Amino acid sequence: MAKVKTTWFCQSCGSQHSKWQGQCSTCKEWNTLVEEVVQKEQKKTWESAVGEVPLSRKRAPKPQLISEINAAESPRLDTTNAEFNRVLGGGLVPGSITLLGGEPGIGKSTLLLQVCLNLPFKTLYVSGEESAQQIKMRANRIKEEAVNCYILTETKTQNIFRQITEVEPDVLIIDSIQTLQTDHIESSPGSVSQIRECTSELIKFAKETNTPVLLIGHITKDGNIAGPKILEHMVDTVLQFEGDRNHTYRILRALKNRFGSTHEIGIYEMLGHGLREVTNPSEILISQRGATLSGTAIAATMEGMRPLMIEVQALVSTAVYGTPQRSATGYNLKRLNMILAVLEKRAGFKLGQKDVFLNITGGITVDDPAIDLAVVAAILSSNFDLELSSQHCFSAEVGLGGEIRPVSRMEQRVNEVAKLGFDKVFIAPSKQEFKNTGTEVQAFSKIEDLVRYLFS
Ligand code: TYD
Ligand code: MG
């Protein structure tokens, strides 16, 4: 009997070592080597499982002159999901391989099943996680009349390829790469070597038959896609689905895209019957724009290339216990502490003995520094217990010196503010002129000046 062959794989970078060692010599991470069983066979292409592939589906590559290559040759497939198309950079590229990551329960399977049901082509949805009945129940909830969608519950790649040659789908979806297993390697599903091998078989299939493949990938505790980092290098596009599970809004982001920009985002709302595309992101704010309270300020931020109006809420109260509490939801806590220090040092507000709670509504996490000024306004509004006008909004970064700093894409932000009918937007001084917007644009260079204007 053949001896069982094992090697050591680094769980971080995926490199292979012949023996155990404490530190991976490739990526210098400690304690990441795990022993896995490998047993390679000679033939390990995806065709070997099925014999000869129909010639019609094969594409024999030949060297071509770059000047003679027609870039418009392979048009993108329209997924009929505008937000999904936008994030992909205009639709699915034939022969591309896309990885969708996200926390458990965020809606990855729902999103891809919905895309799959709506596609006008023949699609094959392979699930290693749910039974066909469960998928059917989900599809019923999404309530789309689908005629071209095949469901397969299988985890062995060889069996999947066998079914593919029968069904000949135009789009292949794999619900989760971590459940797949190839016969060529004997380690368990989800291990580094399995993930790598299964992915490379799928890539080979995608490139040779020009079929787009969408993979779902699990993410680990720290938010990375489970499996080796090289998985992200292997695929063409890495998408991330994120949001707060207790809220309904979800954001789809491209972390890597070989065929488009990574600045675009897609916004969805999780409803009882699947995901709804949010084509006008400002409606998130409008639905929550009610009577004004002290401690509420509106920020004109950008998510990727799209303007997004966001409501910031702050609560400042006298600390009950010795150490004042600071908490931030949807905003970086370190940044909040910095803003509080700036307010104390540069503008003379004694917030050191106050509890400060900050919340971005809608369960959205904001990285755009343009939200800083709204954070300052919300905190001071709560501190003085004076409400701000609901017709005012803010868009600027705050520096360590208490200076108000300009942010990028000011014109787009001001246009969005005007579109939503705000009376006034507070920004940093800039040379740019904003004409004919119908909204007053007021610039301040120091926090003290803005505070004097707003609260006196
Ligand atoms: P799912 O797609 O299974 O998440 P993932 O594949 O990322 O683990 O989504 C599961 C959640 O979505 C579940 O908590 C229920 C919710 N959901 C809805 O709210 N409405 C729906 O129509 C569907 C199908 C799911
Ligand atoms: Mg799932």
Side-chain angles (χ1 to χ4, degrees):
M1 227 177 76
K3 212 175 134 218
V4 178
K5 255 178 109 180
T6 66
T7 46
W8 296 84
F9 280 101
C10 171
Q11 300 289 308
S12 172
C13 68
S15 62
Q16 203 173 334
H17 305 265
S18 56
K19 61 179 191 340
W20 184 85
Q21 54 205 48
Q23 186 187 29
C24 170
S25 52
T26 312
C27 69
K28 308 285 180 245
E29 286 283 327
W30 288 90
N31 289 328
T32 53
L33 295 203
V34 170
E35 187 174 24
E36 287 180 9
V37 182
V38 282
Q39 208 162 46
K40 298 222 169 180
E41 286 176 23
Q42 259 88 39
K43 275 174 102 185
K44 43 171 275 191
T45 56
W46 65 274
E47 300 124 59
S48 66
V50 287
E52 230 357 88
V53 192
L55 268 178
S56 60
R57 304 199 31 96
K58 256 193 160 173
R59 190 175 51 117
K62 281 201 192 90
Q64 269 177 289
L65 272 175
I66 192 158
S67 55
E68 286 168 9
I69 298 174
N70 185 3
E73 205 167 25
S74 53
R76 292 176 184 244
L77 306 182
D78 179 8
T79 61
T80 68
N81 188 316
E83 299 290 296
F84 199 65
N85 279 347
R86 183 208 310 277
V87 176
L88 288 173
L92 272 176
V93 175
S96 70
I97 185 148
T98 306
L99 177 67
L100 173 70
E103 282 184 26
I106 203 75
K108 301 178 295 295
S109 309
T110 308
L111 176 67
L112 288 195
L113 184 64
Q114 192 164 339
V115 165
C116 191
L117 293 175
N118 280 315
L119 274 172
F121 320 101
K122 206 194 273 181
T123 54
L124 179 64
Y125 185 98
V126 180
S127 179
E129 305 204 328
E130 285 151 293
S131 69
Q133 285 75 19
Q134 282 171 309
I135 298 170
K136 174 66 182 167
M137 275 159 59
R138 191 194 296 249
N140 282 346
R141 287 176 70 179
I142 298 172
K143 268 205 211 93
E144 307 286 351
E145 275 298 314
V147 281
N148 285 328
C149 180
Y150 289 82
I151 305 289
L152 173 67
T153 47
E154 179 61 71
T155 53
K156 276 230 166 18
T157 53
Q158 278 71 22
N159 295 348
I160 293 173
F161 290 130
R162 193 167 300 131
Q163 297 305 328
I164 285 173
T165 41
E166 288 195 6
V167 176
E168 299 210 345
D170 297 316
V171 178
L172 175 67
I173 293 176
I174 304 282
D175 194 349
S176 104
I177 183 72
Q178 277 87 3
T179 58
L180 287 196
Q181 202 173 7
T182 170
D183 281 342
H184 302 302
I185 284 189
E186 283 195 354
S187 57
S188 55
S191 61
V192 173
S193 46
Q194 279 290 358
I195 294 177
R196 195 165 56 177
E197 204 56 39
C198 294
T199 311
S200 61
E201 284 179 19
L202 286 166
I203 291 176
K204 199 153 189 293
F205 161 74
K207 303 291 172 207
E208 286 189 4
T209 62
N210 228 5
T211 311
V213 176
L214 294 155
L215 305 175
I216 289 180
H218 295 166
I219 64 171
T220 56
K221 268 205 307 288
D222 44 358
N224 298 319
I225 290 171
K229 195 84 190 155
I230 48 161
L231 181 59
E232 290 173 48
H233 289 297
M234 287 163 87
V235 299
D236 296 315
T237 306
V238 181
L239 306 180
Q240 181 145 317
F241 207 33
E242 54 188 49
D244 187 334
R245 235 184 308 163
N246 301 321
H247 286 80
T248 54
Y249 292 105
R250 303 280 184 271
I251 292 183
L252 182 69
R253 230 182 262 282
L255 301 183
K256 163 185 173 180
N257 193 350
R258 285 191 183 146
F259 312 112
S261 119
T262 52
H263 292 298
E264 294 288 1
I265 60 157
I267 305 178
Y268 291 92
E269 186 178 7
M270 179 66 93
L271 300 174
H273 55 272
L275 291 157
R276 183 181 71 88
E277 296 172 46
V278 179
T279 37
N280 173 18
S282 297
E283 71 180 62
I284 301 177
L285 172 84
I286 291 167
S287 61
Q288 291 164 344
R289 204 166 149 194
T292 43
L293 285 172
S294 66
T296 315
I298 293 165
T301 65
M302 296 287 292
E303 268 295 336
M305 305 290 271
R306 302 165 83 184
L308 185 63
M309 304 295 289
I310 281 177
E311 190 175 308
V312 182
Q313 293 183 324
L315 185 69
V316 179
S317 64
T318 313
V320 190
Y321 306 108
T323 324
Q325 295 186 60
R326 269 80 214 268
S327 127
T329 314
Y331 186 71
N332 188 332
L333 185 60
K334 283 192 184 137
R335 189 124 191 120
L336 172 64
N337 283 328
M338 183 212 95
I339 293 225
L340 292 174
V342 168
L343 284 177
E344 179 128 12
K345 177 102 183 177
R346 306 285 177 194
F349 294 106
K350 298 276 169 279
L351 296 168
Q353 290 309 310
K354 301 276 180 83
D355 285 344
V356 180
F357 304 97
L358 193 80
N359 181 32
I360 308 293
T361 56
I364 293 166
T365 303
V366 183
D367 294 326
D368 185 1
I371 199 170
D372 287 356
L373 199 59
V375 170
V376 166
I379 290 172
L380 293 179
S381 159
S382 176
N383 189 41
F384 300 137
D385 207 7
L386 289 173
E387 61 197 51
L388 296 163
S389 163
S390 63
Q391 290 304 318
H392 291 178
C393 64
F394 303 84
S395 192
E397 188 180 347
V398 172
L400 284 180
E403 78 277 21
I404 299 177
R405 307 171 67 99
V407 285
S408 62
R409 300 181 195 281
M410 224 35 243
E411 192 150 2
Q412 242 173 303
R413 294 172 202 259
V414 172
N415 284 341
E416 183 71 9
V417 168
K419 206 171 87 191
L420 293 176
F422 284 90
D423 288 345
K424 198 178 264 190
V425 54
F426 296 96
I427 63 164
S430 79
K431 290 195 194 82
Q432 223 171 329
E433 283 192 27
F434 306 97
K435 283 182 238 141
N436 310 328
T437 53
T439 295
E440 193 185 335
V441 179
Q442 194 150 3
F444 285 97
S445 55
K446 287 260 163 225
I447 285 192
E448 302 94 284
D449 302 338
L450 176 71
V451 171
R452 212 169 298 127
Y453 178 87
L454 287 176
F455 300 107
S456 60

